[in-house]
Amino acid sequence: MQPKLNRLLRALAREGLEVAYDGRLYSVRLHGNAHSPPAEVLLPPDLPVEGKAFRQLAHLAALRHPAGGEVLRVRATPDFHPGDSGVAIGSVLHTRGLVVPGAIGTDINCGMRLHVADLSVEAFQAKRDAFVERMKGHYFFGTRDVAMGSRAAEALLRDGVQGWLLETLERPLGCAGQADLSQLDAEVARIHLGGGLKGHPSWAPESFTREGVVRDAGLATIGGGNHFVEVQRVEAVEDRGRAWRWGVREGQLAFMIHSGSRDVGKHVGVAWQERARKAWPQGTPLPDSGILPLADERLVSEYLEAEATAANYAFLNRLLLAELLRQTLRELFGDVEAPLVYDVPHNLTLPHEGGWLARKGACPAGVEQPVIIPGSMGATSFLMVGCGDARALESASHGAGRARSRFSLSRGGADHRDSALGLTGVDCVTLRAERRVEEAPAAYKPIRPVVDAQVEAGIVREVARLSPLLTFKA
């Protein structure tokens, strides 16, 4: 390992980076930039290192604004890899006096949601085909009936799931009319932040704020990339006491959802990255990284309100994806409760120790908080509990992390055999053949070393493992 590590450190030094490694934690900063804090990366020695991701982290740590503010710390989770927008996926950024829209990007409040059901795998598999046909209609062909009144839409954007529920209780429309609204109300306590932040309808696309009945095409949709809905089996329980309190039992059916704010997040994210560019002081060179922070108090406040608006939409998007699945289980199997275990966000800026904490593809991992870490669609996923580790900025990985780009997998000449892609035995439902290839297990790092590194570092503890049965990819 040592000769290989030395070669890596020399290569990174040639790229203008100062890098140190103690066998567990990398420390990286731009050469000659001693005033910036070093970015830290928790990474086991057997996982791949990407120079581009290190450069992105170092540039993030070196961010400055002419009007003031500072970067206090930058940390990356073991699943970190380069991001298309110049910010590495898995980055956690602690600032004071500035916020960074680019550190969140356009997939605001991308996150995970996990339900369990007292239904055997055998019973589910017996009706698998009927289930798949119904869910393909909901998720792919637009047969879902997702509607709400304009008052409910406005309440969602302002206050999140609780605002939407209050209005929906008075006038349930579409699939909400078939939902157990009292159950949804009780489950709000199992959504991080109660499923709501202080947003404002003015930041959303106009199509979502019109008068009358709102039928938004993006709600209850999975989205592209690494987003999914997966049916799983609770394979093993490690912390029986905590699993029992969370309603999790070995052998249960489970379903896990990974999705975000769809077009509303894109609308907000793109607008604010452009606004940050226009707000940059004239005559001052733009940062080499292209990442532009905001330091003006009014702009910071407005951006956080806009981000919250998209986050509220994402919370409801995951809720409705789950509710359509839960209603389908009830149609096929009768009275299935399928309670929520937890819903946790990734891409958000939240208050932290007098400043702001921005997570880009990282999961909150506060003390006693459920943490959901999915593997690839052919691998085990993990239900964990957070330890509130301060050095890790109370953050854990949001998955295994990509090992190969989508381009490298889809280009001509690549080996597309199921055995080469790790797809043997994987039940993936998608309308796009390329999605199955781009998101194949071979595209991702092995999940076990990523999880083990975080357990050994005291960031999370294992509660249960879940094995995949069936994965929906848009």
Side-chain angles (χ1 to χ4, degrees):
M1 174 63 190
Q2 193 60 42
K4 183 179 179 181
L5 175 62
N6 289 337
R7 288 194 300 272
L8 169 67
L9 297 181
R10 287 195 297 269
L12 293 172
R14 288 193 295 271
E15 296 184 23
L17 300 178
E18 298 175 3
V19 184
Y21 185 55
D22 64 5
R24 187 179 65 92
L25 198 70
Y26 282 91
S27 174
V28 58
R29 60 161 42 114
L30 296 179
H31 181 71
N33 202 9
H35 65 279
S36 299
E40 297 179 333
V41 186
L42 177 67
L43 198 67
D46 52 342
L47 287 183
V49 172
E50 297 184 73
K52 182 178 179 180
F54 273 116
R55 289 195 301 275
Q56 290 180 345
L57 285 170
H59 278 290
L60 194 61
L63 271 184
R64 292 290 180 273
H65 194 286
E70 59 182 329
V71 173
L72 300 175
R73 288 190 60 204
V74 174
R75 176 87 175 202
T77 55
D79 61 336
F80 96 116
H81 55 279
D84 294 338
S85 64
V87 178
I89 310 302
S91 300
V92 186
L93 173 68
H94 185 201
T95 61
R96 183 165 50 215
L98 54 81
V99 299
V100 187
I104 298 300
T106 59
D107 196 8
I108 296 167
N109 188 9
C110 163
M112 303 295 308
R113 187 177 179 99
L114 176 66
H115 288 249
V116 291
D118 289 326
L119 188 66
S120 72
V121 171
E122 293 74 20
F124 172 77
Q125 294 289 24
K127 296 185 178 181
R128 180 258 183 211
D129 292 349
F131 172 82
V132 166
E133 287 307 306
R134 284 171 167 80
M135 297 313 302
K136 283 168 66 176
H138 291 322
Y139 290 163
F140 302 153
F141 298 137
T143 62
R144 63 188 178 278
D145 185 8
V146 176
M148 67 186 77
S150 55
R151 287 179 55 182
E154 181 174 324
L156 165 68
L157 299 173
R158 287 185 185 277
D159 300 311
V161 169
Q162 294 184 62
W164 173 81
L165 265 173
L166 284 171
E167 294 296 334
T168 299
L169 284 166
E170 292 188 9
R171 189 189 177 199
L173 297 175
C175 65
Q178 308 300 317
D180 182 342
L181 296 177
S182 62
Q183 181 181 27
L184 292 179
D185 186 43
E187 289 176 345
V188 166
R190 297 186 180 189
I191 306 176
H192 201 69
L193 306 170
L197 295 162
K198 286 299 178 184
H200 195 279
S202 62
W203 300 114
E206 291 183 6
S207 61
F208 198 78
T209 56
R210 61 177 177 265
E211 290 295 320
V213 175
V214 176
R215 294 184 181 275
D216 182 75
L219 273 176
T221 61
I222 299 170
N226 62 348
H227 294 157
F228 64 84
V229 172
E230 186 167 87
V231 180
Q232 305 168 328
R233 176 184 181 273
V234 180
E235 178 184 294
V237 172
E238 296 297 328
D239 185 339
R240 294 191 176 277
R242 182 169 280 104
W244 182 268
R245 292 193 296 274
W246 291 355
V248 178
R249 315 280 187 272
E250 191 170 312
Q252 283 176 315
L253 200 74
F255 51 98
M256 184 177 286
I257 292 162
H258 182 201
S259 191
S261 49
R262 308 293 284 117
D263 287 347
V264 176
K266 184 175 182 180
H267 176 84
V268 169
V270 169
W272 272 95
Q273 288 178 43
E274 179 59 27
R275 195 165 178 186
R277 181 174 294 276
K278 290 181 178 178
W280 192 256
Q282 290 187 358
T284 304
L286 293 170
D288 292 339
S289 65
I291 306 167
L292 300 174
L294 298 169
D296 178 83
E297 286 188 14
R298 179 182 62 84
L299 289 177
V300 166
S301 177
E302 289 182 356
Y303 168 71
L304 292 172
E305 185 180 66
E307 184 188 290
T309 305
N312 289 342
Y313 180 97
F315 280 126
L316 184 64
N317 185 40
R318 288 194 292 276
L319 182 153
L320 291 173
L321 282 165
E323 191 56 30
L324 288 171
L325 196 155
R326 182 157 56 183
Q327 289 181 16
T328 300
L329 289 179
R330 288 170 180 164
E331 290 170 9
L332 294 171
F333 300 101
D335 188 16
V336 178
E337 184 180 2
L340 173 65
V341 177
Y342 205 63
D343 183 304
V344 63
H346 299 151
N347 302 345
L348 277 182
T349 307
L350 297 171
H352 183 76
E353 296 182 354
W356 301 101
L357 197 67
R359 296 182 176 94
K360 173 70 169 177
C363 178
V367 177
E368 296 300 308
Q369 177 220 305
V371 174
I372 302 166
I373 305 179
S376 70
M377 61 181 169
T380 300
S381 294
F382 290 81
L383 176 62
M384 316 293 286
V385 62
C387 301
D389 182 56
R391 186 170 185 184
L393 294 173
E394 300 183 15
S395 302
S397 72
H398 83 318
R402 290 196 76 90
R404 296 175 61 185
S405 71
R406 292 181 177 90
F407 173 77
S408 73
L409 287 162
S410 59
R411 63 180 172 80
D415 191 342
H416 290 169
R417 292 174 302 162
D418 279 5
S419 57
L421 293 171
L423 285 167
T424 303
V426 172
D427 191 354
C428 176
V429 179
T430 181
L431 300 184
R432 301 175 60 185
E434 68 271 21
R435 186 75 74 209
R436 188 171 180 268
V437 172
E438 293 168 353
E439 294 299 311
Y444 288 88
K445 301 172 186 175
I447 186 66
R448 187 83 246 189
V450 170
V451 169
D452 287 349
Q454 295 173 93
V455 171
E456 291 165 9
I459 297 169
V460 290
R461 296 190 302 274
E462 187 175 330
V463 177
R465 298 189 297 278
L466 305 102
S467 55
L469 298 174
L470 169 67
T471 308
F472 293 93
K473 284 278 188 181

